[in-house]
Amino acid sequence: MSQFNSISDLLCNSGAQFRIFDMGRRISKISSGQFEKLEQGMIPYPTPYLHHAWLALMLWNTKDKQQNVVWFLKFPLDEQGFLVQAVRDDFLNRLMQNISQMLQKENLDQTNDALKDNPFSFTPEQEKMAMFHAQSAVIINQPPSQFYTDTKAYFSGDLGWENWSSIGYQGIADLTARLEDGNNSAYILNAIPELPVEPLSALCTCLEHIEIDHRVAQALSKRIEQLLQQEQDGNVNLLASLLRGLSNSHSEELKKAAIQKTLTSPHALKAEVLVAIATRCNLSLQYPELLSLYLEKLAISEAGQTGFSRILADLMFIPVMRVLILQAFRNPERSDSLAKAIGEMFGASFESDTNSSPK
């Protein structure tokens, strides 16, 4: 069997069509050219999550569906966010050994797994897996799941908004992935103001993986405003889901406004809300005034010092965010609470350095 020097080389010589996806913060496409540069160490990984690159490699044969395969891979990144070459080489060696062993068997069946016992493979969480299945079915022209028809009927309003228990999460994922088909976009747009908590939360966790239009973004923003007007013990998990659903909108003004209102509400100290903003709305945190507000709330939040340190350690692994966060740390107008949290995270010497910065 031929020996390949890179994953890109393996994919290009597989004889199959393929696509590469980032599976970290959200499902997003990575071009083959971009992935090749990542492998060669020419560019850092663009969307690191928990200091790793989370990938899905999808290969399919238009003539033989039995040859379709998806590999979910998790690779550590170095301190600068680059793919570790030795890790990539180790993965390739393990993969080729497994494939060679499979080919030597007399009876091949569907239980053969090229990634068996591979330490770099992972299983996505159930919700993300459902959305990946929905999107991949669209890509390779396969039909949606059995839940699709009932889900369309529910989102059209024909079944009654309380009758959601039988539609299935996969059906919502299929509907979201096929937003441009038929009346699906109109169904979702009209349903958002009416949906109960459970189906609305499920919809939002699907919407975060696609680029929603301005109308859908406005509808989600209105639900956020309504929720923020409730008492402090309102549904925090729903608010976090709504922010996630809005996060992939092109409308920066809508996103900024929603985050601003959230961070000036009693919900701003809830860990679920702060995690949703950090992991899904990190691009919006590149606005200095919004970042400063976020850091102040995080410093006194229910997440505590452990949450403060973990959330920022992940955010600061993104090069742009690291620069902006360090600048915010040195802001002479920061609160004592934020200064204390910074000191706990980095040590007293860092806090002393920031306190001695020119006013």
Side-chain angles (χ1 to χ4, degrees), residues 102-170:
M102 289 166 54
L103 293 176
Q104 291 171 7
K105 292 181 179 180
E106 293 182 1
N107 298 315
L108 294 178
D109 56 46
Q110 293 184 359
T111 64
N112 288 301
D113 182 2
L115 295 185
K116 183 180 180 181
D117 300 325
N118 195 301
F120 306 110
S121 63
F122 76 98
T123 301
E125 58 190 18
Q126 187 175 2
E127 294 175 348
K128 192 173 289 184
M129 183 72 89
M131 193 61 193
F132 182 82
H133 280 320
Q135 291 182 320
S136 60
V138 173
I139 292 171
I140 61 178
N141 295 317
Q142 288 188 345
S145 73
Q146 59 182 333
F147 302 103
Y148 181 60
T149 300
D150 287 344
T151 302
K152 286 184 67 174
Y154 173 75
F155 274 82
S156 72
D158 291 345
L159 304 181
W161 299 118
E162 297 304 319
N163 299 318
W164 54 268
S165 59
S166 63
I167 60 176
Y169 188 90
Q170 186 63 59

Side-chain angles (χ1 to χ4, degrees), residues 197-198 200-202 204-205 227 232-245 267 270-273 276:
V197 170
E198 289 82 357
L200 179 57
S201 294
C204 288
T205 57
L227 194 56
Q232 185 171 354
D233 59 353
N235 195 312
V236 175
N237 289 328
L238 176 59
L239 177 57
S241 295
L242 285 165
L243 289 168
R244 289 171 61 174
H267 298 78
K270 300 295 183 179
E272 298 91 334
V273 172

Side-chain angles (χ1 to χ4, degrees), residues 52-122:
H52 282 73
W54 303 74
L55 297 163
L57 309 183
M58 176 182 168
L59 298 88
W60 73 97
N61 189 320
T62 55
K63 297 181 180 179
D64 186 358
K65 294 181 180 179
Q66 297 299 321
Q67 295 184 17
N68 295 352
V69 65
V70 178
W71 294 336
F72 295 107
L73 305 173
K74 173 187 174 183
F75 292 133
L77 303 171
D78 67 18
E79 294 181 354
Q80 295 180 313
F82 288 91
L83 194 67
V84 180
Q85 300 290 309
V87 170
R88 189 277 314 275
D89 294 342
D90 186 21
F91 162 76
L92 276 174
N93 290 333
R94 292 171 182 268
L95 178 66
M96 299 314 298
Q97 288 176 8
N98 283 358
I99 292 177
S100 295
Q101 292 172 4
M102 289 166 54
L103 293 176
Q104 291 171 7
K105 292 181 179 180
E106 293 182 1
N107 298 315
L108 294 178
D109 56 46
Q110 293 184 359
T111 64
N112 288 301
D113 182 2
L115 295 185
K116 183 180 180 181
D117 300 325
N118 195 301
F120 306 110
S121 63
F122 76 98

